[in-house]
Amino acid sequence: HENPRWFADNERVLVSRDEPLGDGAFRPDLFIWNTRRGGVRRVTHGAGIRGADPSPDGNRAAAVRCNAGICDLVLVDLRTGLWTTLAAGSPFVVWHRPRWSPDGRSIAASMQRDGRWWVVAVNPATGATRPVDPGDGANRFAPAWTNEGKLVVVSERGGVANLELVDPETTAPRTLTRVTGSVASPDVSPTGDIWYLA
């Protein structure tokens, strides 16, 4: 199992696992693991879903679905396993690592387009997208929401991957780390602590 994401109930974990298709190929599907009662329930079948994040109410997941080299941003109904495309990918647009906002009104995701990585806010009701970018040309990716509705992102501004705090409304960035190697995979705990790999 890969890409674990806790539900808000702190009891269930949403994970993905490669499953055989019957022709020797494998494709990732979603599963829900109940850590208190035990057991794993399969959600999707042959969907190619990865990197899913459960919504605050636990009914849906924002995820990436890759098929034939195209990676779309999708919503998955966690009760039925049905998915719908929220924002289409293409050979020139690739989606990665979506994260629900704490209030459930927005999804932040990484999008590769025009030779660089962007952080994009997506309306889960309409699919409307809006770059969260100050316009300086730097790669930004791997967003994680704070409890206050701001985004912690990996930014390559300055040439080294460091963490920034970005306000989705003003898009103004504030540097949080100054490492000389690089940072990756930030996440924000329920208490507001920021964790990341370095």
Side-chain angles (χ1 to χ4, degrees), residues 158-171:
V160 175
N162 271 286
L163 294 183
E164 287 181 341
L165 185 68
V166 180
D167 185 322
E169 299 306 317
T170 66
T171 70

Side-chain angles (χ1 to χ4, degrees), residues 16-171:
S16 63
R17 182 174 72 203
D18 287 346
E19 288 291 306
L21 295 177
D23 61 358
F26 288 79
R27 185 172 290 159
D29 274 311
L30 292 184
F31 296 79
I32 297 174
W33 169 35
N34 191 306
T35 63
R36 296 223 174 123
R37 287 181 263 161
V40 175
R41 179 176 69 83
R42 188 170 184 173
V43 177
T44 61
H45 295 269
I49 304 284
R50 65 184 75 232
D53 188 47
S55 60
D57 64 10
N59 293 326
R60 300 180 292 170
V64 172
R65 179 179 185 270
C66 295
N67 185 41
I70 307 295
C71 293
D72 302 323
L73 181 64
V74 299
L75 288 178
V76 181
D77 185 317
L78 294 177
R79 295 162 295 191
T80 65
L82 298 176
W83 56 268
T84 56
T85 300
L86 187 60
S90 75
F92 308 103
V93 175
V94 178
W95 291 93
H96 186 256
R97 199 179 189 262
R99 294 292 185 260
W100 284 91
S101 63
D103 62 11
R105 292 190 290 190
S106 186
I107 296 167
S110 304
M111 178 188 67
Q112 187 182 49
R113 185 188 73 205
D114 301 329
R116 68 180 268 231
W117 282 99
W118 306 70
V119 171
V120 178
V122 183
N123 183 319
T126 66
T129 62
R130 180 177 53 84
V132 180
D133 188 79
D136 57 10
N139 285 316
R140 286 183 176 82
F141 49 90
W145 292 93
T146 68
N147 298 333
E148 297 78 30
K150 293 189 173 21
L151 289 167
V152 176
V153 303
V154 175
S155 169
E156 293 181 351
R157 181 171 56 128
V160 175
N162 271 286
L163 294 183
E164 287 181 341
L165 185 68
V166 180
D167 185 322
E169 299 306 317
T170 66
T171 70

